Amino acid sequence: MARTVDWDGDAIAAIDQRALPAEYRVRRLATVDAVVAAIGDLTVRGAPALGAAGALGVALAARRHPGDPDRVRAEAERVAAVRPTAVNLRRGMERALARLDDGAEAVLAEACAVLDEDEATNRRLSARAADLLTELCGDRPLRLLTHCNSGALATVAWGTGLGAVRELAGRGRVAEVLACETRPLLQGARLTVWELREMGVAHRLCVDAAGASAIARGLVDAVVVGADRVAANGDAANKIGTYAHACAAVRSGVPMVVVAPESTVDHATPTGADIAIEERDADEVRTVAGTPIAPSGTAVYNPAFDVTPAALLSAVVTERSTFRDGAWTVETAPALR
C-alpha cells in the first residue's frame, strides 16, 4: 500500500478512504478547496494523516499565492478548521506555515518532512505500546479489541493503535482481533478489517453494541485504540463508542491502552471537558450507503467523538512518553522531532 497521503510533484495524492474496501483508488487534490472537501467528507481521515494533509494543504496555498502571505494564512486556517477535534490537523498546518517567510519551497519541504517522520514515529510508539501490553497481559498471544481505524490508513504509514497490533503480530503475540464496526461510517468494518486482512492477522468483525459484552464474557485480553486528541491530564478523545469500551474494560479488569503520536497530546487543553467535539451531518445516521433507514427529517445526535477519562485508561503511549497512574513520564533517549 502506498502512503495514505503523499506529494506527487504538484498536488496531494490521497488514498480515498470512502471507497474501501470495494475499491482501492487514489485521489489527486490540486487545490485548497479540494483538500478542505477531502478532509470534510473523510476521503482523508485519521489524526496523523490529517496532520500531513494540513501541512500539504499549506504548501498548496503557498505555491498558489506567492507573495500574498495573508491569503496563504487565511487558506491555512480554512484547512485547519474543517475538523476541530483532531489537534494534529492544526499542528501540521502550523508547522508548515511557520516556514512561510522562507518561501513556498521551504513550506513544501517542511510539509514533506511531516510525512517522512510519520512512519518512524509510528513504529517507535507501536513498539513501546506492544511492550506495555505484554507487560500488562503477559508474554502470550493476545485477544485484542479495537475501535474505529488507527492503522496505516489513519496515518501516513504503519499506524498507531493498529500499529501496535501489527507490532505484536510480528512478534507472534496476537491470537485474534475483534474489530468493532464503528458506526455511523463503519471505519472499523471498512478500513480496519481491510487492513487486518492485508496484514494476515486473525480477526472478526464485532457489532459495536457487542463490544462491551465481549469484554464482559472474557473474550478480550486488552483494548487498544488510537486518539484524535489527548488532554494534558490524559483524557483521550477517540471515535464515538470508545468510552463504552473503557467502562466495560474497567468493570472486567481488562487493560485499555491509547496509542498516539506526541503530536496528538495537547498540553494546552487541561482536561477532556475542554476538547471541542465535532458533530457531523445527520444524514450519516439517517442513511446507510445512501439508503434511508429512518424517517426523513428525523432529529439526530451524531457526535464524531467521545472522551474517555484518564482514570479509565491503563495508559496513553506515544513515541517518547507514557501517561500512567496519573502522571506523564518521558523517555531519557532523544525524542523524534
Side-chain angles (χ1 to χ4, degrees):
M1 188 177 73
R3 284 176 164 181
T4 302
V5 182
D6 209 349
W7 182 254
D8 77 352
D10 60 355
I12 300 170
I15 296 173
D16 188 345
Q17 301 196 42
R18 302 169 307 164
L20 290 167
E23 180 183 357
Y24 178 93
R25 67 186 183 210
V26 177
R27 280 187 58 190
R28 190 171 184 274
L29 311 175
T31 67
V32 172
D33 284 346
V35 174
V36 169
I39 292 172
D41 69 16
L42 303 187
T43 293
V44 180
R45 52 146 296 280
L50 289 173
L56 289 173
V58 177
L60 279 175
R63 289 162 69 94
R64 179 64 63 89
H65 306 292
D68 192 350
D70 290 342
R71 178 68 181 276
V72 174
R73 291 188 177 93
E75 293 284 77
E77 186 59 39
R78 196 157 65 92
V79 171
V82 181
R83 303 203 65 195
T85 304
V87 67
N88 303 65
L89 176 57
R90 178 165 293 277
R91 286 189 167 167
M93 176 274 280
E94 291 176 345
R95 179 170 165 183
L97 194 61
R99 298 294 307 278
L100 184 59
D101 289 346
D102 299 322
E105 293 310 304
V107 174
L108 176 60
E110 191 67 23
C112 289
V114 173
L115 276 65
D116 292 341
E117 292 164 14
D118 180 83
E119 182 172 354
T121 295
N122 292 335
R123 283 179 179 269
R124 181 171 173 182
L125 63 84
S126 295
R128 296 187 73 243
D131 290 345
L132 178 60
L133 285 163
T134 300
E135 173 191 331
L136 293 171
C137 301
D139 189 9
R140 58 191 172 91
L142 301 177
R143 300 165 302 166
L144 303 168
L145 182 141
T146 191
H147 191 73
C148 197
N149 173 262
S150 56
L153 289 167
T155 66
V156 176
W158 191 262
T160 57
L162 204 61
V165 175
R166 185 189 298 266
E167 174 70 23
L168 284 167
R171 302 178 186 183
R173 293 297 179 265
V174 176
E176 181 188 52
V177 177
L178 286 180
C180 289
E181 58 189 346
T182 320
R183 287 282 298 144
L185 294 179
L186 303 174
Q187 290 97 322
R190 295 187 303 104
L191 306 178
T192 296
V193 169
W194 184 80
E195 288 201 51
L196 287 167
R197 178 172 291 186
E198 292 290 303
M199 290 158 53
V201 173
H203 60 276
R204 285 186 286 172
L205 179 60
C206 180
V207 175
D208 278 0
S213 176
I215 294 169
R217 290 181 59 200
L219 302 180
V220 176
D221 298 314
V223 180
V224 56
V225 297
D228 283 77
R229 187 184 297 247
V230 178
N233 72 337
D235 295 350
N238 192 49
K239 180 56 63 180
I240 189 73
T242 303
Y243 172 67
H245 300 318
C247 292
V250 167
R251 172 73 175 175
S252 299
V254 170
M256 179 165 174
V257 175
V258 170
V259 188
E262 197 72 27
S263 58
T264 303
V265 181
D266 184 7
H267 289 285
T269 297
T271 74
D274 303 299
I275 297 175
I277 299 298
E278 170 192 357
E279 185 155 353
R280 295 188 57 81
D281 190 274
D283 279 339
E284 292 179 351
V285 177
R286 289 193 293 241
T287 66
V288 172
T291 301
I293 60 170
S296 177
T298 299
V300 168
Y301 176 56
N302 185 20
F305 306 98
D306 56 25
V307 175
T308 300
L312 300 182
L313 297 171
S314 300
V316 178
V317 179
T318 80
E319 70 272 22
R320 66 182 181 88
S321 64
T322 303
F323 186 90
R324 192 176 181 188
D325 299 325
W328 289 98
T329 58
V330 180
E331 280 192 357
T332 55
L336 296 176
R337 180 167 178 265

